Amino acid sequence: CKKNLSFKLWLCICAGTGREKPDFLATVDVDPNSPTYSKVIHRLPVPYIGDELHHSGWNACSSCHGDPLADRRFLILPSLVSGRIYVVDTKTNPKAPSLHKVVQPDDIVKKTGLAYPHTSHCLASGDVMVSCLGDKDGNAKGNGFLLLDSQFNVKGRWEKPGYSPSFGYDFWYQPRHKTMISSSWGAPAAFTKGFNLQHVADGLYGRHLFVYSWPDGELKQTMDLGNTGLIPLEIRFLHDPSKDTGYVGCALSSNMVRFFKTQDGSWNHEVAISVQPLKVQNWILPEMPGLITDFLISLDDRFLYFVNWLHGDVRQYNIENPKNPVLAGQVWVGGLVQKGSPIVAVTEDGQTWQSNVPEIQGCSLRGGPQMIQLSLDGKRLYVTNSLFSTWDRQFYPELMEKGSHMLQIDVDTEKGGLKINPNFFVDFGAEPDGPSLAHEMRYPGGDCTSDIWI
């Protein structure tokens, strides 16, 4: 924690809002002693329209530890819908990042057949690896892993030929165990049109984890999570590189599933946390899943945080015993069952119930918590509320008119506990070019108090 920067980067989406404006990378001041605290201090619009910037990653990370040439300078921004990948220079002027390079989708498709890029991770080799969720026609069976070289040229595919099962999404590797595990969202041809429960029955969404040899790229094992693991999205190993366990958040089943290595060297799984669906009135279904869409683990591996995008709560669990997570904190920051909504939850004894969601700086909290980012000291958890523009429009249509926002939650790292910071609120409904959707956040470097990019 040698630096004392005061900003974060956020991905802000105009695609899908009905406005012909490009997505942009916003720099937000998170230093409470700054006169521009909780304000957007810079915007970097991308040069194209309709990209849907979604997730991001760095060109260098802990995998490059010990390499004197590794420089965590470039932020990799895949566009989920257009297939374009932007490379942003965050070092020359950290408070005003600049566009360094654009990798065009035609080049990616021509050389690899891949489209719909999602998660990017740096590799020890200096390459960047990006999961791609399908082919150019949106077929899940066309998914795989794209490799960009250190100059961000298309290098090829990572996995060996014949080792690309249907569906892809997030991935995480643990070199000491020579393993990479990936998760599975669904067919782009399905999820880009909005969520349809029939598509789950039709087999257009995933329920598997795929275990690859690392760094060889051979598919060694497929774990079928069954009905307890429908639509497994974000996946994380524990940070301790010696540990052979981690978690995956299963959105539709609303379970946190723990995966772990067995004595015979294979991998197994079990439900570690289960979020019970709410019985509801005045909604499209009689029961509402929590819909776990994002989670993270603190750097010391003590706490796990996740969001329920539909229910509207953020949770903190103590995972010092990874097999038995214990709820340590919970706060309501939105959701479909908050007071004032026509949707009500029904308890076992027939009573109706709605969550108490506070106003922040006179503003009602709209949508539900979706992406989270934890400061490196573990004391500040940042939250945004856009999932994917088509799904936002379907479940939280007010986001299209009023835009998204960003919150800060203060974290008790000793005893556990979460509390909304009333002094921090970034309203992306008040953007100069109209309401925008705030998605993923990144710190600009290896420090504890930096600003965020979205």
Side-chain angles (χ1 to χ4, degrees), residues 273-347:
I273 304 168
S274 183
V275 177
Q276 296 302 309
L278 295 176
K279 294 182 180 180
V280 292
Q281 296 175 350
N282 308 321
W283 198 52
I284 55 176
L285 296 172
E287 290 190 340
M288 179 189 296
L291 209 76
I292 299 174
T293 53
D294 192 23
F295 84 97
L296 55 79
I297 299 172
S298 62
L299 288 180
D300 59 7
D301 288 335
R302 289 186 61 225
F303 293 107
L304 180 149
Y305 302 84
F306 70 78
V307 301
N308 288 303
W309 190 57
L310 295 182
H311 288 182
D313 58 317
V314 180
R315 299 191 184 190
Q316 176 195 35
Y317 283 82
N318 185 306
I319 57 168
E320 290 175 291
N321 179 355
K323 297 180 181 180
N324 185 32
V326 177
L327 183 64
Q330 183 179 25
V331 64
W332 297 85
V333 296
L336 290 171
V337 293
Q338 61 178 295
K339 287 186 176 179
S341 167
I343 303 169
V344 296
V346 182
T347 63

Side-chain angles (χ1 to χ4, degrees), residues 413-432:
T413 58
E414 298 299 324
K415 299 179 180 179
L418 303 175
K419 184 179 179 180
I420 298 174
N421 183 337
N423 300 315
F424 188 95
F425 183 76
V426 185
D427 187 358
F428 288 96
E431 281 298 299

Side-chain angles (χ1 to χ4, degrees), residues 138-347:
N139 299 308
K141 65 181 181 181
N143 83 96
F145 300 92
L146 166 70
L147 284 179
L148 303 176
D149 66 20
S150 60
Q151 301 303 311
F152 313 109
N153 300 306
V154 176
K155 188 174 181 178
R157 296 175 72 135
W158 170 75
E159 78 280 11
K160 290 189 175 181
Y163 290 98
S164 297
S166 293
F167 303 117
Y169 186 69
D170 198 22
F171 68 98
W172 201 280
Y173 58 90
Q174 195 68 300
R176 291 192 187 178
H177 295 279
K178 299 180 180 179
T179 296
M180 187 273 276
I181 303 181
S182 66
S183 61
S184 46
W185 183 5
F191 68 69
T192 54
K193 295 179 174 65
F195 180 71
N196 185 335
L197 195 58
Q198 182 59 45
H199 287 164
V200 179
D202 292 341
L204 296 177
Y205 284 91
R207 52 185 253 182
H208 297 87
L209 297 183
F210 305 109
V211 182
Y212 288 85
S213 61
W214 184 266
D216 305 323
E218 292 185 5
L219 182 63
K220 294 294 187 179
Q221 184 182 347
T222 297
M223 288 188 279
D224 187 346
L225 305 183
N227 290 335
T228 62
L230 297 176
I231 312 185
L233 296 181
E234 305 296 324
I235 188 167
R236 306 282 185 268
F237 274 97
L238 294 180
H239 292 289
D240 184 339
S242 69
K243 300 298 184 182
D244 56 1
T245 190
Y247 300 87
V248 61
C250 302
L252 189 57
S253 299
S254 297
N255 290 325
M256 291 299 307
V257 171
R258 184 177 76 93
F259 55 88
F260 52 93
K261 198 173 185 179
T262 64
Q263 290 185 347
D264 65 6
S266 64
W267 294 78
N268 206 344
H269 61 90
E270 64 183 7
V271 174
I273 304 168
S274 183
V275 177
Q276 296 302 309
L278 295 176
K279 294 182 180 180
V280 292
Q281 296 175 350
N282 308 321
W283 198 52
I284 55 176
L285 296 172
E287 290 190 340
M288 179 189 296
L291 209 76
I292 299 174
T293 53
D294 192 23
F295 84 97
L296 55 79
I297 299 172
S298 62
L299 288 180
D300 59 7
D301 288 335
R302 289 186 61 225
F303 293 107
L304 180 149
Y305 302 84
F306 70 78
V307 301
N308 288 303
W309 190 57
L310 295 182
H311 288 182
D313 58 317
V314 180
R315 299 191 184 190
Q316 176 195 35
Y317 283 82
N318 185 306
I319 57 168
E320 290 175 291
N321 179 355
K323 297 180 181 180
N324 185 32
V326 177
L327 183 64
Q330 183 179 25
V331 64
W332 297 85
V333 296
L336 290 171
V337 293
Q338 61 178 295
K339 287 186 176 179
S341 167
I343 303 169
V344 296
V346 182
T347 63

Side-chain angles (χ1 to χ4, degrees), residues 68-136:
L69 300 179
D71 187 3
R72 190 179 184 182
R73 172 176 182 171
F74 297 106
L75 189 65
I76 314 302
L77 307 181
S79 303
L80 185 57
V81 172
S82 72
R84 208 168 275 115
I85 298 176
Y86 295 99
V87 181
V88 175
D89 179 359
T90 67
K91 184 177 181 180
T92 302
N93 186 350
K95 292 192 176 184
S98 58
L99 185 61
H100 174 74
K101 185 171 183 176
V102 182
V103 184
Q104 294 292 353
D106 291 347
D107 191 32
I108 297 172
V109 171
K110 180 180 178 181
K111 295 178 180 178
T112 67
L114 298 170
Y116 299 92
H118 186 268
T119 298
S120 64
H121 284 304
C122 67
L123 307 186
S125 63
D127 293 341
V128 173
M129 182 165 147
V130 184
S131 62
C132 295
L133 308 192
D135 62 16
K136 64 182 179 60

